[in-house]
Amino acid sequence: MIFYFTGTGNSGHVASELGAKLNDRLVPMGAALVEGNTCYELKPGERVGFVFPTYCWGVPPVVADFIARLDLQGYRSECNFVYMVATCGDDVGQLVDMMRRLLARRQLELQAAYSVSMPNTYVNMRGFDVDPDLVRDAKLHAAEGRIAELAQSIAEGRVTTDVCRGSWPWLKTRVVYPWFRRHAMSDKKFHVEPGRCTHCGACVKNCPLGNITLNAQGEPQWHGRCTMCESCLHRCPARAIQYGKATQGKGRYYFK
């Protein structure tokens, strides 16, 4: 079983590829939370994977929320191999330590941790943008081999921590991440540029938490339950959605 969260598709692709290679079932965390379905029966010896993007060198709050509600019936640490895969633009800081603590609170033992470098998606602050085309394509090409390596390691049940922590991991995860959660998770700055929205509803369809509806004019409204996955911004075919002034003139990316 692979629990995954994805916004712009990077982690969804990794989860899908692992599911196909390992013949494991996929469970989207966002849909499970919306539906209130967080209780699952494990088969004897079934693997349990968590695949998700790195949020400012930490675990996305939506993933932490899902784990806090998760009830895995039949779990036994000696029989059920638990692993995580974090997609990231560059590095993950001390994310693994955070994930290990979150799982331990649910009496789950994290036995393997991996990271996969994928194209950057966070563009909501000054200095952050999507990768240049050559960098994006190089990451996507390298990711396919990396996913195959991970599948082999997971299939063999290797106990390992194979992630790119990067420089200053303590500072990034213990200082920058809490600031990000406190000050950069609001959806109040999302807006539509006048005259650009085509009322297609792609933002509504692609929001993993059902946080967006269309108003009487057919334009998106956000309702305060945003997980900052930026799916609405990147997947808007008219590039009509902006986040304050920070995203104007910046690129868009989602896994196709």
Side-chain angles (χ1 to χ4, degrees):
M1 181 182 294
I2 299 174
F3 298 107
Y4 73 95
F5 178 75
T6 193
T8 54
N10 282 337
S11 296
H13 171 67
V14 173
S16 179
E17 287 293 298
L18 287 176
K21 294 178 186 300
L22 297 169
N23 195 29
D24 287 349
R25 49 180 169 158
L26 301 176
V27 179
M29 294 189 225
L33 284 171
V34 171
E35 297 165 3
N37 182 19
T38 55
C39 180
Y40 300 89
E41 181 74 31
L42 284 178
K43 301 172 186 176
E46 185 172 12
R47 289 180 292 264
V48 181
F50 297 88
V51 181
F52 53 87
T54 301
Y55 268 34
C56 199
W57 303 287
V59 176
V62 64
V63 174
D65 185 26
F66 177 82
I67 293 172
R69 301 167 186 256
L70 182 61
D71 180 10
L72 283 181
Q73 298 183 0
Y75 167 77
R76 296 173 59 190
S77 60
E78 65 272 21
C79 297
N80 301 108
F81 184 75
V82 177
Y83 67 93
M84 58 149 281
V85 180
T87 59
C88 60
D90 297 292
D91 51 73
V92 303
Q94 290 187 339
L95 177 150
V96 175
D97 298 332
M98 183 185 302
M99 187 65 174
R100 184 171 283 112
R101 290 192 297 270
L102 289 169
L103 292 172
R105 292 171 190 162
R106 306 302 298 161
Q107 288 74 53
L108 300 173
E109 181 185 352
L110 182 65
Q111 293 163 292
Y114 308 92
S115 64
V116 178
S117 179
M118 295 288 282
N120 286 321
T121 62
Y122 188 75
V123 296
N124 285 12
M125 289 184 187
R126 183 182 301 174
F128 290 83
D129 202 347
V130 299
D131 290 320
D133 291 352
L134 288 176
V135 175
R136 176 200 64 202
D137 294 345
K139 285 184 176 181
L140 290 172
H141 178 74
E144 298 311 304
R146 174 66 171 161
I147 294 169
E149 290 177 7
L150 267 56
Q152 181 67 31
S153 179
I154 293 165
E156 294 174 359
R158 297 180 197 167
V159 177
T160 184
T161 299
D162 180 8
V163 301
C164 180
R165 290 164 58 90
S167 59
W168 303 96
W170 183 92
L171 178 67
K172 291 174 177 176
T173 301
R174 298 296 184 91
V175 178
V176 181
Y177 174 77
W179 178 92
F180 176 83
R181 287 200 60 171
R182 189 173 300 113
H183 299 290
M185 289 290 296
S186 172
D187 58 15
K188 292 181 180 179
K189 291 185 180 181
F190 279 115
H191 65 95
V192 175
E193 288 193 293
R196 297 199 64 170
C197 179
T198 62
H199 322 297
C200 68
C203 51
V204 176
K205 176 184 177 182
N206 291 307
C207 179
L209 292 184
N211 182 50
I212 304 173
T213 59
L214 298 183
N215 61 21
Q217 291 73 44
E219 296 184 346
Q221 287 184 314
W222 290 261
H223 297 281
R225 302 184 304 276
C226 183
T227 186
M228 206 51 66
C229 71
E230 303 199 358
S231 176
C232 58
L233 184 147
H234 287 285
R235 293 179 185 269
C236 177
R239 294 173 63 101
I241 296 174
Q242 302 287 354
Y243 190 79
K245 296 181 180 180
T247 56
Q248 292 179 350
K250 292 184 179 179
R252 300 292 189 269
Y253 164 85
Y254 64 92
F255 189 92
K256 300 177 183 179

